[in-house]
Amino acid sequence: MRRGVWCLLVVAVTLVSPLSARGELEPEPGEDYHCVAVVAGEEEDGELVLTPWVCYGDPDDRDARALELTDSSQRRIPDPGLDKGALAASFTLGTHYDGYNGTGSSLTVVGGSCSGGWWNTPSNFSNKTSSSYHGCPRLRHYDLPNKGGASWTTTGSGSTVNLTSFNNRTESVQYLP
């Protein structure tokens, strides 16, 4: 119970407070950054509604933040900015890196379902993904925003997979069972 209350507080604070002293996905040029966002809802077409990105200079800080945000209870957290509230996160859906083998800058999405939800990459991370960690069994990387253009599906829940021939071509990502 105590962990659940802590996670509830962390998610609630994340949704209503300024999220990063460095700004949302505005890292210093040439510096690696490691950001995390939480699935706060889903549009009718499956597009995931994400909280603003919280960025860190150290991937260990990002991982600690993602761990803080996880909660297996799947409760809805009241949020005045969202009609339905935010779904309490339960695990990392995926982490996307701008280098091979899980290196370089990264974006981590924390949520509660691998049922086909998708999101568009922020403009300064578009066409930079070289590898992805799988929290979900399958990740589908699309060449264009809104699941447009060619796609590349990677598999391997719990592993990091290089995008090889789809390197630096991702503008939207879908999480699949």
Side-chain angles (χ1 to χ4, degrees):
M1 177 67 179
R2 184 176 227 187
R3 183 175 186 267
V5 171
W6 172 247
C7 290
L8 174 66
L9 177 62
V10 169
V11 172
V13 168
T14 298
L15 294 173
V16 297
S17 66
L19 297 173
S20 175
R22 298 175 59 190
E24 295 166 13
L25 220 50
E26 296 176 11
E28 294 296 318
E31 177 181 309
D32 280 350
Y33 52 93
H34 308 280
C35 305
V36 62
V38 177
V39 174
E42 188 170 334
E43 300 290 340
E44 285 185 28
D45 65 356
E47 182 176 6
L48 299 175
V49 177
L50 302 178
T51 62
W53 296 96
V54 181
C55 299
Y56 302 92
D58 185 327
D60 291 338
D61 293 336
R62 179 216 51 222
D63 294 344
R65 178 65 170 176
L67 184 60
E68 287 175 5
L69 295 171
T70 61
D71 183 320
S72 61
S73 67
Q74 295 295 296
R75 301 186 292 282
R76 290 238 170 239
I77 310 301
D79 177 36
L82 299 169
D83 292 337
K84 298 176 184 174
L87 184 61
S90 63
F91 63 98
T92 296
L93 301 178
T95 299
H96 310 282
Y97 300 91
D98 71 358
Y100 279 124
N101 302 314
T103 62
S105 295
S106 63
L107 302 179
T108 295
V109 177
V110 176
S113 173
C114 299
S115 61
W118 58 274
W119 59 284
N120 292 320
T121 61
S123 61
N124 63 344
F125 209 82
S126 289
N127 297 315
K128 289 188 176 183
T129 302
S130 295
S131 60
S132 291
Y133 166 80
H134 288 69
C136 293
R138 293 184 303 142
L139 305 180
R140 186 163 294 143
H141 301 80
Y142 289 89
D143 201 22
L144 299 173
N146 305 313
K147 299 189 314 179
S151 67
W152 181 271
T153 301
T154 56
T155 60
S157 188
S159 65
T160 300
V161 178
N162 293 326
L163 298 185
T164 59
S165 64
F166 216 70
N167 183 42
N168 295 329
R169 289 183 57 189
T170 300
E171 290 196 36
S172 56
V173 179
Q174 184 177 29
Y175 301 109
L176 300 161

